[in-house]
Each structure stands twice: as C-alpha cells, then as structure tokens.
Amino acid sequence: MRPDRLKALCLAQNAAVEEFPFGPEYSVFKVEGKLFAITDLQATPLTVSLKCDPDEAVRLRAEHPAIVPGYHLNKRHWNTVTVGELSARMVRELIEDSYDLVVAGLTKAQRLRLDRP
C-alpha cells in the first residue's frame, strides 16, 4: 500500500481530519479532536499506529509479525502496523476498528453529530 492510499483510508472515515501536532513529518488523524491513527507518510517501511482493543491487540501481535506494540504509545491500547506486510483489506479494517473505538469513547452529543448513536 502506498502512502497516499493509507492517507485516503484514514481521511475516508466520517469527520476525520489530518493534523501535524508533532511536526510536519507526522500525520495525525483525528475525529472530534481524538487521535485514531498516526504515521510518517515518508517513512520506509511505512507504518501506522492504530488504537486497538487490548485483547485483540495481543491476538493480532501473536498472529502477525508486522503488528507490534504501539511505538511511543500506550502498548496496551495501541499497535504499530507495518503496512506493506499486510493485505490492504486488513489495513483498512484495522483503521476502521481504531476509528470505531475512538468514536465509541466520545460523548453522546459528539456521536450524534457524527450520526453514530
């Protein structure tokens, strides 16, 4: 998967925005001000850190060498994924899962604004 495709998948999530709070090299994707993905789109290999259910995170790490504990993040809740070593479908699903976890933690009013009660 190319960096432009990874960026497009993140921005395809409802109300997702890209910000650069850690400098111009780190794309941070947020919904309602909450982080759901972080990546350096210029890095080789291309990786993205995504939020994950803690039990699912452990399972995914055991099954896929391309998925490791989140780099510089809470390792219980975040995974860092080497994008090119997984199928595009799996990367898309991991992004969607990360987004859904973040949305689930928003207030009811925020979720209603996103049309996600």
Side-chain angles (χ1 to χ4, degrees), residues 42 51-52 61 68 78 80 91 93 96 98 103 107 111:
Q42 305 302 316
K51 193 161 189 161
C52 192
R61 293 173 198 159
V68 297
W78 290 85
T80 296
V91 172
E93 290 172 355
E96 290 170 354
S98 179
V103 168
T107 67
R111 290 193 312 272

Side-chain angles (χ1 to χ4, degrees), residues 18-90:
E18 179 182 22
E19 297 179 355
F20 301 91
F22 305 121
E25 65 274 9
Y26 293 104
S27 292
V28 175
F29 298 94
K30 296 181 176 183
V31 59
E32 292 289 321
K34 302 292 184 180
L35 172 79
F36 72 90
I38 183 170
T39 184
D40 176 352
L41 293 169
Q42 305 302 316
T44 304
L46 180 60
T47 63
V48 61
S49 293
L50 300 164
K51 193 161 189 161
C52 192
D53 171 79
D55 294 330
E56 181 73 0
V58 171
R59 184 189 68 76
L60 287 167
R61 293 173 198 159
E63 292 178 7
H64 303 280
I67 300 176
V68 297
Y71 182 69
H72 285 296
L73 296 162
N74 181 325
K75 292 170 183 7
R76 179 166 150 68
H77 296 277
W78 290 85
N79 281 336
T80 296
V81 176
T82 302
V83 174
E85 296 181 24
L86 299 173
S87 71
R89 178 182 178 187
M90 183 170 192

